Amino acid sequence: MNTTPSSTTTPSTTTPPAGTTDPAEGSADAVTEETTAKDSPVKDPAPDSPAKDPVAKDTTATPSDAADPGSAPDDLAGQADDVDDAEYLEPDPFEEARHGVGAGAAAVVSAALGVVALTGAWTGRVAAERETLIGQIQTAGGGSAAQQISEIYGDAWHTTALVNGVFAVLALLVGVFVLVRPAFGAPSERPQPTWVRAVALAGVALGVLGVLISAGMYFDLFVALPTAGAPAGG
């Protein structure tokens, strides 16, 4: 019995038609390309390229937005001038508070001296009491009635009028000085406050009135000194 096969099968060595690719070679090429893609890093576009960098593109596309170095100092100088003008125009509260302080104080002093001249001061009373004591000492050894009236009463009255007249003159001088002060010396940028002029005028008025009253008292124009009557004959 013959066990040998009648025919032997040989593998097909048929060449594929032209224009086709062997499946085994295609798979090998795909693996090679994938490995190459993994090994080679992706290169980023150059950051300096204006075509791929949107920020650089916008910057180079609008050169007018850049600051002009030549105009910067002019702008700063203009701002500095505006600040200086604002500081010059805006009044300083401390300067406003200091303005007229001396003149106001002098005006108040003038008015106070005028009041003292009309009502009398303790200095006038002390001086009058001193004259009274001197008159009593001088007439203690004897003297006529007219002499006693003149030494004890008349001298004290005149001394009081003289002291009040001195205060009145001081009030008048200080008030006038306050009123005429703006016309002399360095001119002031602001006028004298109204209240200062009002108080100074009050001081001047009181001073004039005090001078008139004191002069009338000193020269016995308002009230004359009493006179002693003649002694009755026996």
Side-chain angles (χ1 to χ4, degrees):
M1 183 173 179
N2 189 6
T3 60
T4 302
S6 60
S7 63
T8 302
T9 305
T10 60
S12 176
T13 59
T14 306
T15 302
T20 62
T21 305
D22 190 0
E25 294 179 358
S27 299
D29 294 339
V31 173
T32 303
E33 292 178 359
E34 184 178 357
T35 304
T36 304
K38 293 181 178 180
D39 294 340
S40 60
V42 179
K43 294 183 179 180
D44 295 334
D48 297 336
S49 177
K52 296 181 180 180
D53 191 354
V55 178
K57 182 178 179 181
D58 295 341
T59 304
T60 56
T62 57
S64 60
D65 295 340
D68 188 2
S71 62
D74 296 338
D75 296 340
L76 294 177
Q79 293 178 0
D81 294 340
D82 295 340
V83 172
D84 294 339
D85 294 341
E87 292 179 355
Y88 178 78
L89 295 176
E90 183 179 358
D92 187 4
F94 296 100
E95 186 67 23
E96 291 290 338
R98 289 193 299 267
H99 177 64
V101 171
V108 173
V109 170
S110 175
L113 290 174
V115 173
V116 171
L118 294 178
T119 59
W122 65 272
T123 53
R125 291 193 298 270
V126 170
E129 292 175 358
R130 181 177 180 276
E131 289 297 330
T132 300
L133 179 60
I134 293 175
Q136 291 176 354
I137 294 173
Q138 291 178 353
T139 58
S144 62
Q147 183 181 3
Q148 292 180 355
I149 293 174
S150 176
E151 295 291 338
I152 297 175
Y153 178 77
D155 291 348
W157 175 266
H158 295 160
T159 302
T160 302
L162 182 62
V163 173
N164 292 342
V166 171
F167 279 100
V169 171
L170 290 177
L172 179 60
L173 294 178
V174 174
V176 171
F177 172 77
V178 173
L179 293 176
V180 302
R181 174 63 181 83
F184 300 94
S188 178
E189 297 179 358
R190 291 176 296 273
Q192 195 176 55
T194 305
W195 69 270
V196 173
R197 297 182 60 85
V199 176
L201 285 173
V204 171
L206 293 174
V208 172
L209 186 60
V211 169
L212 294 177
I213 294 176
S214 298
M217 291 174 59
Y218 188 82
F219 293 105
D220 300 330
L221 299 178
F222 302 136
V223 179
L225 291 176
T227 57

